[in-house]
């Protein structure tokens, strides 16, 4: 059985390597790391350091964009691969093998989850240790509040959302044209947590964004990077626990719906 999954992994790698768009999406963690460590710091240096509020909001928006886009890129890649499987009737062929369609989807979600976790850790650990001092206010780096455990647990929870979003995008698209349309639509929704940069979403109104699974993990790690006292805030572990539970429910639900819509 292990050999069959290794064969599937080789097939997935070949599929990604032959498509420039897939390669580009896979490289997003590195691209975002370069932006976070070499490009965005120039923006901070060009700002008036005396204007602490503007600098803080700019850093907050930058980090929110980096974290949301990194998740979306990998989910979009997975969704396009799933749609391609439908177009090429790969799923029908796999259905009659010992792995089966359900086994193949579990395998795909597993390796995409691992890729997402690794990609997120590359971005956050890389930014912290390469350019952490550039994300400083009053000489204190925002990343001083973020330890290895915060990064690892955030990556683990955020990866669940990536897999769930990918299945959602891939389930309802019948072809690549519809696939791109779903990706664009859900991409806008996935970026909604950027509204956390607005002061009005720092108290109880923040939970209006809680309908989106990625809100919880992002809010948790943002609270570590930008500690803001509010009675409405939860703890980092609680934000991540809710996000993990929500994403798992969505992932399991989309997994069952996907199989119902693709098996014959």
């Amino acid at each position: 059985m292990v050999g069959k999954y290794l064969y599937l992994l080789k097939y997935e790698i070949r599929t990604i390597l032959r498509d420039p768009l897939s390669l580009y999406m896979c490289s997003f963690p590195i691209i975002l790391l370069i932006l976070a460590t070499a490009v965005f710091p120039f923006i901070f240096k060009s700002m008036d350091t005396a204007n602490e509020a503007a600098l803080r909001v700019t850093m907050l928006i930058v980090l929110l964009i980096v974290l949301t886009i990194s998740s979306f890129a990998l989910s979009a890649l997975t969704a396009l691969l799933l749609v391609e499987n439908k177009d090429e009737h790969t799923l029908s062929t796999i259905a009659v093998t010992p792995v089966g369609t359900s086994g193949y989807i579990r395998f795909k979600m597993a390796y995409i989850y691992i890729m997402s976790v690794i990609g997120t850790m590359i971005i956050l650990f890389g930014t912290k240790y390469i350019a952490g001092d550039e994300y400083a206010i009053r000489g204190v780096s925002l990343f001083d509040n973020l330890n290895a455990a915060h990064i690892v647990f955030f990556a683990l929870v955020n990866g669940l959302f990536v897999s769930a979003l990918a299945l959602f995008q891939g389930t309802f698209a019948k072809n690549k044209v519809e696939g791109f349309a779903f990706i664009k639509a859900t991409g806008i929704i996935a970026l909604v947590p950027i509204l956390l940069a607005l002061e009005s979403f720092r108290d109880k109104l923040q939970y209006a964004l809680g309908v989106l699974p990625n809100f919880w993990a992002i809010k948790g790690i943002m609270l570590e990077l930008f500690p803001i006292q509010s009675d409405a805030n939860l703890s980092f572990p609680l934000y991540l626990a809710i996000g993990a539970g929500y994403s798992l429910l969505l992932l399991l639900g989309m997994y069952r719906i996907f199989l119902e819509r693709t098996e014959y």
Side-chain angles (χ1 to χ4, degrees):
M1 184 63 73
V2 175
K4 293 183 177 65
Y5 284 111
L6 286 175
Y7 175 81
L8 285 176
L9 182 59
K10 291 178 182 177
Y11 167 77
E12 294 291 321
I13 293 173
R14 287 197 302 268
T15 301
I16 292 173
L17 291 178
R18 74 187 185 192
D19 183 6
L21 179 60
S22 296
L23 280 174
Y24 173 68
M25 290 180 174
C26 282
S27 66
F28 247 67
I30 302 301
I31 294 173
L32 290 172
L33 177 60
I34 293 172
L35 290 173
T37 58
V39 178
F40 295 145
F42 281 106
I43 299 176
F44 306 148
K45 289 178 181 178
S46 68
M47 298 180 65
D48 181 6
T49 55
N51 192 342
E52 182 181 321
L55 185 59
R56 181 183 294 272
V57 169
T58 302
M59 290 182 179
L60 176 58
I61 292 174
V62 163
L63 290 171
L64 283 169
I65 290 174
V66 167
L67 293 176
T68 52
I69 289 181
S70 64
S71 302
F72 174 72
L74 197 52
S75 70
L77 166 64
T78 310
L80 290 176
L81 291 175
L82 287 171
V83 173
E84 184 174 327
N85 291 151
K86 291 181 181 180
D87 285 345
E88 297 179 353
H89 304 290
T90 306
L91 296 177
S92 300
T93 303
I94 292 175
V96 298
T97 67
V99 173
T101 305
S102 59
Y104 174 67
I105 297 303
R106 289 196 300 269
F107 161 77
K108 185 184 283 285
M109 291 303 103
Y111 85 75
I112 288 298
Y113 173 77
I114 293 171
M115 286 177 63
S116 172
V117 171
I118 293 173
T120 300
M121 290 196 291
I122 287 173
I123 294 169
L124 288 176
F125 276 120
T127 303
K128 176 180 173 67
Y129 291 112
I130 296 173
D133 291 341
E134 303 294 341
Y135 292 78
I137 297 176
R138 294 184 180 179
V140 179
S141 173
L142 301 176
F143 284 89
D144 286 349
N145 300 321
L146 207 65
N147 59 38
H150 290 134
I151 294 174
V152 170
F153 281 111
F154 171 78
L156 292 173
V157 174
N158 192 60
L160 294 173
F161 166 73
V162 172
S163 298
L165 180 60
L167 266 183
F168 177 80
Q169 293 168 332
T171 295
F172 298 104
K174 297 177 181 178
N175 50 58
K176 284 191 175 181
V177 175
E178 289 188 5
F180 278 111
F182 270 104
I183 288 169
K184 288 180 181 178
T186 53
I188 295 173
I189 296 173
L191 293 174
V192 167
I194 293 176
L195 292 175
L196 286 171
L198 300 178
E199 190 172 348
S200 57
F201 284 96
R202 294 177 186 175
D203 292 317
K204 292 181 180 179
L205 189 59
Q206 65 178 283
Y207 297 109
L209 306 178
V211 67
L212 303 172
N214 60 333
F215 157 80
W216 300 95
I218 290 176
K219 175 62 180 181
I221 200 164
M222 284 297 114
L223 202 58
E224 296 299 320
L225 288 165
F226 300 86
I228 298 174
Q229 297 299 323
S230 172
D231 293 336
N233 287 335
L234 306 176
S235 64
F236 175 79
L238 192 51
Y239 274 118
L240 262 65
I242 295 173
Y246 191 0
S247 294
L248 273 173
L249 286 174
L250 181 60
L251 177 59
L252 292 173
M254 293 313 306
Y255 169 74
R256 298 181 71 172
I257 294 173
F258 183 89
L259 292 179
E260 289 174 0
R261 292 174 64 94
T262 55
E263 286 192 331
Y264 303 96

